[in-house]
Amino acid sequence: MTSHPAPTPASEPSVEVFAVYGVEPEIQAYAMAKYSRSSLSMKESLKEITLQKAEKFLNTFYFQYGHRSIADLAHIALAIERLSILAAIVVADEQRWDGQERSTRYQNFRKSGYYTPAFQSDASAAALYRETIESLFTAYEKVSQRTFEYLASITPRPAEMKQEAYERTLRARAFDISRYLLPLATNTSLGEIVNARTLESQVAHLLSQPHKEVRDLGALLKKAAISPAYNANEESLRALVTEIRAVSPEIADRAERELLREVRVAPTLVRYADPNLYEIETRRELRQAAAELMRGAAVEPAPLVDLLDDDVRDNDALEVELATTLVYGHCHYSYRQILRVVEAAGEARRREIIDLGLRHRGKHDELPRAFSAGQQFRFDILMDIGGFRDMHRHRRCVQIMQDFSTSHGFDTPPEVEAAGVRSDYEAAMERADAAVRKLAASGGEDAGQNAQYAIPLAFRKRTLFKMDFAEAVYISELRTTPAGHTSYRNVAYAMYEAVAARHPALAKYFRVHDVREPVDLLKR
């Protein structure tokens, strides 16, 4: 019997993992895309690629062949400063968006300034607008200070808590209340990190909006992507080049070319982002269809949160949902009120509405968000604009926004009564409401859009949130925590209660905080 030695284990290939730093976004996208077409390693690809090669590759595969996923690999950081809160909401209304905005909780927005739209030659409208905004800011300052004094009077400072931390915490609570008075015109700032495909669609979306500020912002974003980027290290690098020049002018010239060369983050991928005619024409036609369908009916009262019924999933259910959702985004009626009209309108009318949503679709246009249908949990939420801005961050669910309006009234936090400023608060809201209506009726092509900037964050806004069970649990748990704002805490708890009432066996899986329990104002 012949014996054989045990086989020697073959040496396993070693896995290499490394982070990549210092590569321009479009070159990085090209290098990653090459994995599908080349056996080169990432390091080899990066050494081979030049900016000209990347541009040629992207023009061929991204624009000519339509391989849009390549742009997902180029990530870009952008700062957007001194835009209005209204414009910030539009910028952040992107499901693939990652960013952060100035918080109305931790900062005094009185010094931020505000956006003033062009009123053309209407001097009286411009004067009314400025007067309204200034009046709101005056009330904001008064309510902030009086509410802080009230909170301090009912909340003793613990011995272990420093005075500075105590005041900072209570001022944040006071800002949570006074923010209701901030108009949508208030300036804010935000930063975003997005991939180039998202940026391209974001720019096209912004360029297609009815508000001139937002269209101008789209043009500025496009310019920022294709123009030289801000180099945070430029000052120190220039100092280094100066030191090198004292030793060797020749080496300094080379260092200057390498270290201080201009970098454009997306000179190819965003270059062709233009207004989206599909979006513009569809918006126009659906607004007209919504007006014709609802025929000026009165807006019926609606609850804070309405968990819509589980439809019987028959052959018409999806068509009914699509038609109702398409109309919903272009009016101020509740989903239930629109649904009744859509169901009564008949199959032919429903299909006409759906056709309006697709009629102008181009070769590379994605379906509008209203076509994201079929989720089991659909919440029609009517809440203050300030609270909506917090809920707006939940982008894993589908959100169908209605436009800004004063027609749904405003919310009043209970603290303004206790602080003795309820009359000032309500007077400011009533003046703003009257001014918004007068500005909207002043005539001019942009009168309606311009008037919206004077709407305070206290006024209610309707939004349809569609989601799965996991997202309903996540929002309910996260947004009911005691450190959160009262507005969205109430919304999140109402979402939980609605799901628990419909599916009692699932209620135990929600780890929510009861919003009726007292809150420690010094815990953040």
Side-chain angles (χ1 to χ4, degrees), residues 281-401:
E281 289 301 311
T282 301
R283 180 192 302 117
R284 181 182 61 80
E285 293 187 357
L286 282 174
R287 280 183 176 175
Q288 182 178 346
E292 292 173 355
L293 185 74
M294 303 308 294
R295 297 176 183 173
V299 176
E300 297 175 359
L304 175 68
V305 173
D306 184 9
L307 175 57
L308 301 168
D309 298 328
D310 292 328
D311 295 334
V312 177
R313 293 293 169 182
D314 55 27
N315 293 335
D316 295 331
L318 182 57
E319 291 184 10
V320 170
E321 180 181 350
L322 289 174
T324 304
T325 306
L326 284 164
V327 171
Y328 178 95
H330 298 280
C331 63
H332 293 290
Y333 299 95
S334 71
Y335 188 94
R336 286 186 185 274
Q337 187 173 355
I338 300 168
L339 178 64
R340 292 198 304 270
V341 178
V342 167
E343 287 180 326
E347 179 180 329
R349 184 67 178 120
R350 289 196 294 270
R351 292 187 177 175
E352 286 178 7
I353 294 170
I354 295 171
D355 181 66
L356 290 178
L358 296 169
R359 178 179 299 170
H360 300 284
R361 187 184 179 203
K363 181 180 179 181
H364 297 296
D365 289 319
E366 296 182 10
L367 287 177
R369 193 177 300 173
F371 284 87
S372 298
Q375 296 84 352
Q376 182 166 354
F377 295 93
R378 296 170 295 152
F379 298 91
D380 192 0
I381 298 177
L382 182 62
M383 67 184 302
D384 65 282
I385 299 171
F388 161 76
R389 292 172 68 237
D390 295 304
M391 293 290 290
H392 193 208
R393 298 171 188 166
H394 294 282
R395 297 180 185 87
R396 198 169 74 80
C397 54
V398 175
Q399 299 181 31
I400 310 296
M401 296 194 300

Side-chain angles (χ1 to χ4, degrees), residues 63 98 152 196 199 204 230 253 265 285-286 303 337 361 377 385 407 413 437 444 477 500 509 516:
F63 293 108
D98 292 307
L199 180 59
Y230 167 71
D253 288 344
V265 294
E285 293 187 357
L286 282 174
Q337 187 173 355
R361 187 184 179 203
F377 295 93
I385 299 171
S407 61
R437 294 176 188 275
E477 291 182 350
Y509 301 115
R516 295 164 294 191

Side-chain angles (χ1 to χ4, degrees), residues 52 139 210 229 264 338 403:
Q52 290 75 20
R264 292 166 170 78
I338 300 168
D403 217 344

